[in-house]
Amino acid sequence: MISLSNSSTHDYIQQIELIFRIRVWQHKVNEWLKQNASAIPIHLAFGYEAIAVALVNVLDLGEKGDQLSLPHRNIAYQLACHKELKPVFDEIRGAHSGCAHGKLGSMNMAARNIGLPYTSSILGNNLAVTCGLALAHEIHQNQRIVVNVCGDGSMEEGTFYEAMVFAKSQKLPVLFLVENNNQSMSSTIQERRCEIHIDKFCSSLEIPYYYAEGNDFFTLKSTLSDIVSDIRQDRNPICLEVNLIPWNNHAGATPGWPSDKKMIDIHDGIYLSENDDDPLRFIESKLDKSVFCPAINQIINELNDETI
Amino acid sequence: MKTETYIQCMNRLIREHLAILEDVVLFGENINNGSHISGLTKGLQIKGNGRLLNVGNCEGTHMGLGMGLMINGISSVLFAKQLDFMFLGLDQMINTYRFIQTAYDEKNLGSFTVITMICDQGWQGPQSSFNSPAAFTAINNCPCYLLNDEKSASAVLDHAFNKPGFKIICLSQSLFSKPCPKLEIESCDIEHGVFSYSDTSHDIVILCGGYCLRQGAHLKEKLEDIGTTASLYRVDSNTKVAETKYFPKLQKARIVICIDEGESTHFSVDPLIRELITDSNDREFIFAYPGVGNDYRVKANNIREQLSFEAMIEKISTIQNTNPSL
C-alpha cells in the first residue's frame, strides 16, 4: 500500500479523482462517437489518464508558466488541464463555447492561457515548434520549461532526430515525452519498422533517458517530478519514454465496426481490464480502498448522471 | 568612391535594421562562418538577450523554430543559402503558420522573417533551379519581398523585422556583384509590396516584377530619350491583391508594360495585372521577359516575338502612336 503524508493526501485524492474523471469523460465521448455523431476523427486516449495527470501536476502550466506542446492524440492532456469535459467536448464539436471557440477542433486543440500554446495534427510537427517555444524562454531568461509529447510513430519522422540534436546543441529546457503505445494508425512497431532504441539514441547525444510504465501513476509522478526539476535547473533536454497500451482504436469509436476486436463499453464499467495494466486498476491496487473507494464511487455516480 | 555592390548594400541594410532590435534570434547555416553566406550575414550583431546561432543542417526544424519563437513573442530571422532549401520547411510554413494565424492575434506574435537567395546566376542543375518566390509563397499566401534596390529594400526590411508574423525576403544571386540601384521611391504600399519610383505619367506605366527594376528603369530612361514619359512601379508581394487605388497613375494607365522573369507560372505582378485587366478602363498590355543579352521575349497585341531592347522600344512607340484613343 502507498503511504501518504497528511499534507499530500488531499492533493493525491484530487489527482486520482481527476484520473477517474478523465476515464469516465472519455467513455462518454466514445459512446457519443458510436452514434456516428462526429464527422471528423477524434483520437481517444484510454489508458493515458495517469501520465496526463502526473505530468500536468508536476508542471507549473499557464500563460506565464510551463508549456505543453501536444500531438493529435491530446484529449487526456486537454482534460487534465481543463479539468472539465465541456470546453474540450465543445471544441471537438466545433462549438463557439469550446476552449478555442471551435476554431481549432480536436487535433489542433490549444489554449495558451492554460499552458497549451501549440498542438499539431501533423506527426512530429510539434517537435520543431517546441524548440522555438523553449528557446524563447531562454531569451526571456525565465525558468519555464516545455514538454513535447509525441509517440512511437512521430519518432520515426526525421524531425524527431533534428529536434533532439537541436535541443541538445542549444541547451533547451525541453522534456521529450515519447508515448510508446506500439501503434501508428493500425500498425504495430513490428509491422512497420525495426526497433529503435531510444535509450541508445539519447545516449549518443548525451541526453538523459528515462523509462516508465504508463499505468503506474505513482512512479510516473515521482519520475516526472525529478525530471522537471532537473530540466528547470540544468536547462538541458531530457527524454522520457512511457509504455502505454493502445486500448482504443486509432481514431473514432471503439469498437468502430461490428467485427472490431477492441471493445470498450461504458455499460461494462469504467475499467479496461481486470489487471493493473489499466492505470485505474493499478491505483486501486496500491491504495487503501477505505479511503479512496467512496470518493471514486461518488465520482462515477456523478459522472454517469452527467449528459454530454 | 567605390560603388557599393548589391550584396554589400543588402548586407549593410540588414545589419543596420537588425542592430537596433533587442532580443532577436538570428540563425542559419554558416551565418557566422566562412563567407557568411556569400557576404549576406557578415557583421551581424545582436542586442540584449538576442542570439546569433550558427545552426546545423535541419531546415525543417529551422522553420519550426521560428514559428515557436513567434508564438512566444520572440522575433527571429532565418538566413538560408537557397530558396530550394526551404522546401524542407514546407510543413511548418503551411500547417504551423495556418495554426498560428487561426489561434493567435497577430499583434501578440513575434516577427519571423526568412531571408534567402534565388540562384539565378546560372544553371546549377535541375535541383537548384527553383527560382520562383511567387510560386513558393503562393502555397501559404505569406508576404514575399524581392530586394531590388537600396530604398525599397530598406523599407521592406524595416517593415519585415518590426511587423509580427511570417514573411519571406529573397535576394537575387545574379545581382550580387552588380552596383545596387539607388532610385528614390515616391510612394509605396508595403503591405501589398507595390513601390512607385516615378508617378509622372499615365500614358505609359512600367510595372516591374521579380528582379527587373533595372530593366524597367533602363526602359524608362530610353523612352524619355525619345520624348516619352513613363511611370515606374515595382511589385513584389503576392500576399493580397494589390490595390491600384493607391496609385492613380497606374489606375489610369493607357499602356502597361510588364517586365518580369519568365521561368514560372506565377509572377509577382499577377495580382496587380488581374486587377488592371478586370477594371473598366481600356488599356494595352505589353509583356516583356528579359532573355539572354539584349533580347526580350515580348507579347503585345497577342503577338509573341523575340525582340532586341531597341526593337522593343520601337514597338512601344508604334503601339502608342497607333492607339491614340487609349
Side-chain angles (χ1 to χ4, degrees):
Chain A
M1 289 291 150
I2 301 286
S3 168
L4 302 173
S5 67
N6 284 338
S7 61
S8 63
T9 302
H10 179 70
D11 287 346
Y12 255 105
I13 290 174
Q14 281 197 329
Q15 289 162 28
I16 289 167
E17 277 185 11
L18 184 57
I19 290 172
F20 278 75
R21 282 180 193 278
I22 293 172
R23 171 65 58 82
V24 177
W25 287 331
Q26 290 206 77
H27 269 296
K28 286 176 179 289
V29 176
N30 190 46
E31 295 305 315
W32 178 73
L33 289 171
K34 284 179 187 175
Q35 298 163 23
N36 293 321
S38 176
I40 55 166
I42 309 299
H43 301 78
L44 292 174
F46 282 97
Y48 289 54
E49 300 87 354
I51 177 64
V53 173
L55 180 63
V56 166
N57 278 281
V58 299
L59 295 172
D60 178 22
L61 291 167
E63 176 81 41
K64 303 284 182 193
D66 298 328
Q67 294 178 313
L68 263 178
S69 174
L70 295 171
H72 59 288
R73 192 179 307 286
N74 57 65
I75 190 165
Y77 298 98
Q78 299 287 351
L79 292 169
C81 288
H82 287 277
K83 296 184 172 54
E84 55 177 328
L85 177 59
K86 186 173 169 43
V88 177
F89 184 63
D90 286 358
E91 187 61 31
I92 287 172
R93 293 188 302 118
H96 188 71
S97 49
C99 60
H101 306 296
K103 291 189 294 185
L104 299 177
S106 158
M107 288 192 281
N108 290 122
M109 196 183 303
R112 185 190 182 90
N113 60 321
I114 56 169
L116 307 177
Y118 187 66
T119 303
S120 178
S121 54
I122 311 297
L123 215 58
N125 161 293
N126 59 335
L127 287 149
V129 177
T130 292
C131 289
L133 296 171
L135 180 57
H137 294 324
E138 295 304 278
I139 305 291
H140 287 307
Q141 291 189 311
N142 59 41
Q143 290 301 300
R144 299 162 69 182
I145 75 165
V146 184
V147 179
N148 187 96
V149 179
C150 66
D152 56 288
S154 303
M155 58 180 267
E156 296 163 7
E157 303 280 358
T159 185
F160 181 76
Y161 171 80
E162 288 188 8
M164 296 273 270
V165 172
F166 193 93
K168 179 65 184 178
S169 304
Q170 302 301 331
K171 297 182 170 46
L172 299 181
V174 177
L175 167 58
F176 292 101
L177 198 164
V178 181
E179 299 173 327
N180 188 343
N181 70 354
N182 189 26
Q183 176 181 261
S184 180
M185 296 186 77
S186 298
S187 301
T188 64
I189 289 173
Q190 198 177 16
E191 285 169 336
R192 66 181 196 272
R193 63 162 161 88
C194 67
E195 195 62 45
I196 299 172
H197 299 283
I198 314 178
D199 54 340
K200 292 179 181 169
F201 171 59
C202 287
S203 171
S204 74
L205 299 178
E206 298 182 352
I207 291 177
Y209 166 86
Y210 294 82
Y211 175 88
E213 291 294 337
N215 62 332
D216 182 352
F217 172 67
F218 306 101
T219 306
L220 280 170
K221 202 173 165 205
S222 62
T223 305
L224 280 164
S225 181
D226 292 343
I227 289 172
V228 167
S229 171
D230 286 350
I231 296 173
R232 218 181 284 290
Q233 193 174 332
D234 298 342
R235 316 306 287 171
N236 252 314
I238 290 179
C239 179
L240 169 66
E241 181 180 6
V242 178
N243 184 42
L244 291 159
I245 295 172
W247 296 100
N248 52 267
N249 285 328
H250 164 68
T254 302
W257 52 93
S259 60
D260 202 339
K261 287 178 186 164
K262 290 184 177 177
M263 296 297 293
I264 296 176
D265 192 330
I266 198 168
H267 301 105
D268 295 337
I270 64 168
Y271 300 99
L272 303 168
S273 159
E274 293 301 316
N275 308 316
D276 65 7
D277 52 359
D278 178 349
L280 274 59
R281 290 285 191 204
F282 188 93
I283 289 167
E284 278 196 346
S285 73
K286 300 293 178 194
L287 294 174
D288 182 346
K289 288 185 174 51
S290 66
V291 176
F292 286 96
C293 282
I296 287 163
N297 284 334
Q298 194 184 335
I299 292 168
I300 294 169
N301 289 333
E302 267 176 38
L303 294 171
N304 276 340
D305 294 339
E306 185 185 280
T307 53
I308 62 170
Chain B
M1 193 176 140
K2 202 175 171 185
T3 307
E4 190 177 40
T5 63
Y6 173 82
I7 187 59
Q8 285 168 341
C9 179
M10 296 307 154
N11 168 255
R12 173 176 59 77
L13 291 173
I14 289 167
R15 276 190 283 113
E16 286 171 0
H17 283 281
L18 288 176
I20 54 174
L21 301 177
E22 296 253 355
D23 299 346
V24 176
V25 177
L26 310 179
F27 66 112
E29 297 156 15
N30 298 300
I31 65 165
N32 207 16
N33 279 332
S35 72
H36 298 76
I37 320 183
S38 306
L40 176 66
T41 59
K42 264 183 194 161
L44 292 181
Q45 292 192 324
I46 45 165
K47 278 182 81 176
N49 274 329
R51 301 286 168 93
L52 182 62
L53 302 178
N54 212 53
V55 291
N57 303 309
C58 50
E59 290 80 0
T61 293
H62 298 164
M63 196 67 94
L65 186 87
M67 297 289 173
L69 287 165
M70 187 162 66
I71 289 173
N72 272 351
I74 293 291
S75 293
S76 66
V77 182
L78 165 60
F79 296 92
K81 177 77 178 72
Q82 294 179 211
L83 180 65
D84 318 62
F85 294 174
M86 294 295 97
F87 281 129
L88 294 168
L90 279 180
D91 166 45
Q92 300 291 345
M93 203 175 118
I94 301 164
N95 290 309
T96 307
Y97 190 46
R98 193 159 292 170
F99 170 94
I100 293 170
Q101 287 176 304
T102 307
Y104 290 98
D105 187 342
E106 190 181 70
K107 69 176 187 294
N108 297 324
L109 298 172
S111 154
F112 177 28
T113 308
V114 174
I115 299 185
T116 187
M117 295 180 197
I118 303 300
C119 295
D120 53 0
Q121 75 274 41
W123 177 245
Q124 298 193 43
Q127 290 189 341
S128 295
S129 303
F130 179 79
N131 291 340
S132 176
F136 186 76
T137 51
I139 202 162
N140 77 341
N141 215 21
C142 75
C144 174
Y145 300 100
L146 279 63
L147 303 187
N148 274 254
D149 60 302
E150 183 190 31
K151 295 287 164 46
S152 72
S154 183
V156 163
L157 293 170
D158 181 56
H159 176 78
F161 294 158
N162 289 291
K163 184 176 164 38
F166 176 68
K167 68 284 297 185
I168 293 185
I169 294 174
C170 299
L171 286 83
S172 161
Q173 201 149 11
S174 68
L175 299 179
F176 268 32
S177 58
K178 295 183 176 161
C180 189
K182 311 275 182 183
L183 283 70
E184 292 297 325
I185 303 174
E186 286 191 358
S187 60
C188 71
D189 171 14
I190 203 147
E191 280 288 329
H192 297 100
V194 183
F195 300 85
S196 164
Y197 297 85
S198 167
D199 206 19
T200 52
S201 165
H202 64 254
D203 282 343
I204 295 180
V205 171
I206 302 167
L207 195 57
C208 308
Y211 295 101
C212 292
L213 179 65
R214 285 151 197 280
Q215 288 90 339
H218 184 49
L219 177 61
K220 175 178 159 53
E221 205 178 293
K222 293 297 171 191
L223 286 171
E224 278 169 359
D225 287 349
I226 58 169
T228 303
T229 54
S231 291
L232 181 65
Y233 292 88
R234 190 174 69 73
V235 54
D236 65 4
S237 170
N238 67 339
T239 357
K240 302 161 188 170
V241 175
E243 294 185 39
T244 55
K245 67 183 178 191
Y246 298 116
F247 304 100
K249 295 288 193 302
L250 182 58
Q251 210 170 27
K252 293 176 187 166
R254 295 170 62 235
I255 298 174
V256 177
I257 304 168
C258 303
I259 304 186
D260 206 332
E261 274 105 5
E263 299 300 327
S264 173
T265 52
H266 289 74
F267 300 110
S268 49
V269 295
D270 285 353
L272 213 50
I273 295 297
R274 271 199 299 277
E275 191 175 333
L276 291 169
I277 284 173
T278 52
D279 73 12
S280 57
N281 295 330
D282 287 331
R283 58 173 67 89
E284 193 74 39
F285 288 93
I286 299 170
F287 296 93
Y289 305 109
V292 179
N294 195 31
D295 279 355
Y296 278 73
R297 286 187 292 126
V298 177
K299 185 182 176 190
N301 293 331
N302 279 328
I303 299 168
R304 293 167 193 271
E305 298 169 279
Q306 185 101 359
L307 300 174
S308 67
F309 183 73
E310 293 72 24
M312 184 169 71
I313 289 179
E314 275 179 39
K315 182 96 182 174
I316 293 165
S317 296
T318 308
I319 289 171
Q320 191 186 16
N321 295 332
T322 53
N323 292 278
S325 62
L326 280 174

